[in-house]
Amino acid sequence: MTRFLITSALPYINGVKHLGNLVGSMLPADVYARFHRAKGDDTLFICATDEHGTPAELAALETGQDVATYCREQHLIQADIGARFGLSWDFFGRSSSVQNRELTQHFARALWKRGYLEVRTTKQVYSHAEKRFLPDRYVIGTCPYCGYDRARGDQCENCTRVLDPTDLINPRSAVSGSSEIEIRDSAHLFLKQSEFVEQLRAWIDSHEADWPNLVLSIARKWLDEGLKDRGITRDLEWGVPVPDDIGDGQLKGKVFYVWFDAPIEYIGATKEWSDARGKSDADWQRWWRPASPADVTYFEFMAKDNVPFHTVGFPVTILGSGENWKLVDRVKGFNWLTYYGGKFSTSQKRGVFMDTALELLPADYWRWYLMANAPESADSSFTWEHFASVVNKDLADVLGNFVNRVTKFCAARFDGQVPAEGNYGAEEAALASELDRRIAQYAEHLEQVEFRKALAELRAIWVAGNEYLTRAAPWTAIKTDRAKAAVGVRMGLNLVHLFGHLAWPVIPSAARVIHDAIMEAPDIIPWPTEPMAEFLDQLDAGQAVRVPDVLFAKITDEQVGEWQVRFGGEGVS
RNA sequence: GGCAGCGUAGCUCAGUGGUAGAGCAGGGGAAUCAUAAUCCCUUGGUCGGGGGUUCAAAUCCCUCCGCUGCUACCA
């Protein structure tokens, strides 16, 4: 049976991530990983912080810390928030780890030996004020086309023209504002991606059936436009150093480009995981260099801006190495989650970030809303009104109230114990067969990573519970026919138990509380594999049942209004 | 400019050739176990505009409009 290797795009080290980052990679990867663990599959879910690059260096500078200290602190912050969001990483690594440095250098050496790397001299902007080279977008000046005076060196945000830093009038550093900048020659390593076009195209075509349209079209676009060789080194301090034996000594003091080493950290973090447990290399290599590729199904989750790096850049690294590393099997790409139709923005304090989200409400509220409205086919817009209505209806009314009404009625009329009287009949058989069908659908949607559809189906399963309860009406039956009422309550309690199982991949904390009401939940709440006729008839008569506290409190209009103001809501853009 | 995705009910979205769908919101009813929750019934759309192919188009082709993003040194 195949093992499931799951990676989420690496959150960049520069600050706490917002809900859009969460729903675009980490959260769906977590739901999928939990689903496979629940099914009993051998599953490994890997993530890490992406720590190299100019923004990290500048952010450290701003806080007055050295970059290594800054990254260490930020990594711990992100690890903590991820854990509190229920992100069940088997390991959350760091792209600045020793393991990743060694692996990155290993891949570079393999590519160099096979002739896929080449040294080329490029023109780079050097700023005297910062005593450092600046990426194009960190140079600003006046746009020669439209006159906008804060155009970036890579593109003018005003007229959207693509620019080169040398095009700018009055160029200056975006960091210090200093105009003491000059263009210097700098040698860099280029990865000959152009030699892999046919190989990549054949590989991408082979996934016609199992990659989403969004991913296929982005990947093909890059090939169709003519794949260029890509510079994979930078003039920075912080990063994986280029080893002396590569590049004939022309690259002393340079580091690899963050997009070269970041995907390799998927492997690096797996080695970090293995090393942390004191295991041998075979332990992590069984995931990345399996005896047969079919032994492992490798699944990547990411937002659409990351698709080219995962379907073109990283595969070239793997293929070019000539070694038997695992290539990705399935890719799930997401569009953007917007905030009232606009961008989430750290600098403008616009939108909701993971830390503040948890100050407002528990993780499951967010997990449910985000996955039920995941930006799968198009960008989707977060609004407080929509969030409140989804949470109130789905979680509080349909699910929470079901658990509450069943357990409370049981407590009031059956001493809080699973009643023994009566036998299941046609009504219960019909429900079991409906649920067999719906659960199979729910599982299929999860396997196909159609999260909106999956969660709609899960909600329909909860609704089926409410429908059954209305038909069984134990509150009426109890007046004349205690056995009939007992049947309804017993089925209701079995349904509560079932819901605890089915909800676990999506809302793990609430699922645990629900399960605990019936019996103590295991760490991994398993997927129900029995036919429902059997599963829904498993509670022992006489066993005690607890009434859990209110599972989901409703979000009030006052809260919606307050949060709109606090986070920049409607009309703000 | 080029490219990609999207445009379907008031809102959020399914639906890729065969009589327009779901959830929410709105309207009516039932029930009273429950977080006033639930359940049943129901109103509502010339499928962005225009043209074409076809016995038949939301779906295929052309064109125009709008929104969002990408355009390779941000990550």
Side-chain angles (χ1 to χ4, degrees), chain A residues 60-61 63-72:
Chain A
L61 213 59
T63 63
Q65 292 171 304
D66 66 88
V67 64
T69 305
Y70 172 81
C71 287
R72 196 179 318 121

Side-chain angles (χ1 to χ4, degrees), chain A residues 362-430:
Chain A
D364 284 347
Y365 290 58
W366 302 103
R367 291 177 62 110
W368 175 263
Y369 173 82
L370 291 171
M371 294 314 294
N373 298 283
E376 293 183 305
S377 65
D379 295 352
S380 75
S381 173
F382 176 93
T383 68
W384 289 107
E385 300 87 332
H386 191 222
F387 174 66
S389 95
V390 167
V391 164
N392 290 348
K393 189 69 187 178
D394 296 352
L395 294 182
D397 296 347
V398 175
L399 174 61
N401 182 56
F402 179 83
V403 173
N404 190 248
R405 67 197 292 211
V406 169
T407 52
K408 269 197 176 162
F409 189 77
C410 173
R413 298 306 190 106
F414 291 95
D415 298 324
Q417 295 176 354
V418 176
E421 302 98 310
N423 294 304
Y424 282 174
E427 196 72 63
E428 286 71 27

Side-chain angles (χ1 to χ4, degrees), chain A residues 163-412:
Chain A
L163 303 175
D164 191 84
T166 53
D167 297 335
L168 294 172
I169 301 163
N170 299 324
R172 57 195 186 276
S173 162
V175 182
S176 63
S178 164
S179 53
E180 283 182 60
I181 58 177
E182 65 174 70
I183 308 292
R184 289 187 179 178
D185 281 348
S186 182
H188 283 289
L189 281 174
F190 277 72
L191 176 58
K192 296 187 193 170
Q193 298 189 132
S194 52
E195 297 191 13
F196 291 85
V197 170
E198 290 320 307
Q199 209 176 338
L200 285 172
R201 193 181 296 280
W203 175 62
I204 289 163
D205 287 348
S206 77
H207 287 291
E208 180 77 46
D210 59 355
W211 285 7
N213 196 35
L214 178 72
V215 170
L216 286 169
S217 56
I218 292 174
R220 285 179 174 144
K221 182 198 149 188
W222 278 61
L223 301 185
D224 292 345
E225 289 183 354
L227 196 57
K228 297 176 198 162
D229 298 337
R230 181 158 208 150
I232 59 158
T233 51
R234 293 290 182 272
D235 292 290
L236 296 176
E237 302 282 316
W238 176 240
V240 174
V242 179
D244 293 341
D245 52 314
I246 297 177
D248 308 321
Q250 297 177 70
L251 294 144
K252 253 194 164 12
K254 310 209 175 192
V255 300
F256 288 102
Y257 172 40
V258 56
W259 264 114
F260 185 71
D261 78 67
I264 295 172
E265 168 64 2
Y266 292 140
I267 306 173
T270 310
K271 186 168 191 303
E272 289 180 62
W273 164 75
S274 170
D275 289 352
R277 299 182 311 148
K279 302 284 178 129
S280 70
D281 280 349
D283 188 53
W284 64 270
Q285 286 181 347
R286 71 191 278 269
W287 292 98
W288 287 100
R289 305 184 79 165
S292 158
D295 292 347
V296 172
T297 298
Y298 175 26
F299 206 138
E300 291 174 345
F301 290 80
M302 71 200 67
K304 60 185 173 185
D305 59 331
N306 278 340
V307 169
F309 299 106
H310 289 80
T311 56
V312 176
F314 189 37
V316 167
T317 300
I318 298 279
L319 293 169
S321 75
E323 298 168 347
N324 65 332
W325 299 94
K326 183 73 193 167
L327 270 178
V328 69
D329 295 298
R330 299 182 61 193
V331 182
K332 174 73 174 180
F334 287 87
N335 287 283
W336 303 118
L337 179 72
T338 63
Y339 185 78
Y340 286 87
K343 282 185 178 175
F344 278 84
S345 163
T346 318
S347 55
Q348 293 172 37
K349 291 195 165 50
R350 204 157 169 277
V352 193
F353 291 72
M354 287 173 71
D355 51 356
T356 41
L358 289 180
E359 288 167 19
L360 304 184
L361 294 167
D364 284 347
Y365 290 58
W366 302 103
R367 291 177 62 110
W368 175 263
Y369 173 82
L370 291 171
M371 294 314 294
N373 298 283
E376 293 183 305
S377 65
D379 295 352
S380 75
S381 173
F382 176 93
T383 68
W384 289 107
E385 300 87 332
H386 191 222
F387 174 66
S389 95
V390 167
V391 164
N392 290 348
K393 189 69 187 178
D394 296 352
L395 294 182
D397 296 347
V398 175
L399 174 61
N401 182 56
F402 179 83
V403 173
N404 190 248
R405 67 197 292 211
V406 169
T407 52
K408 269 197 176 162
F409 189 77
C410 173

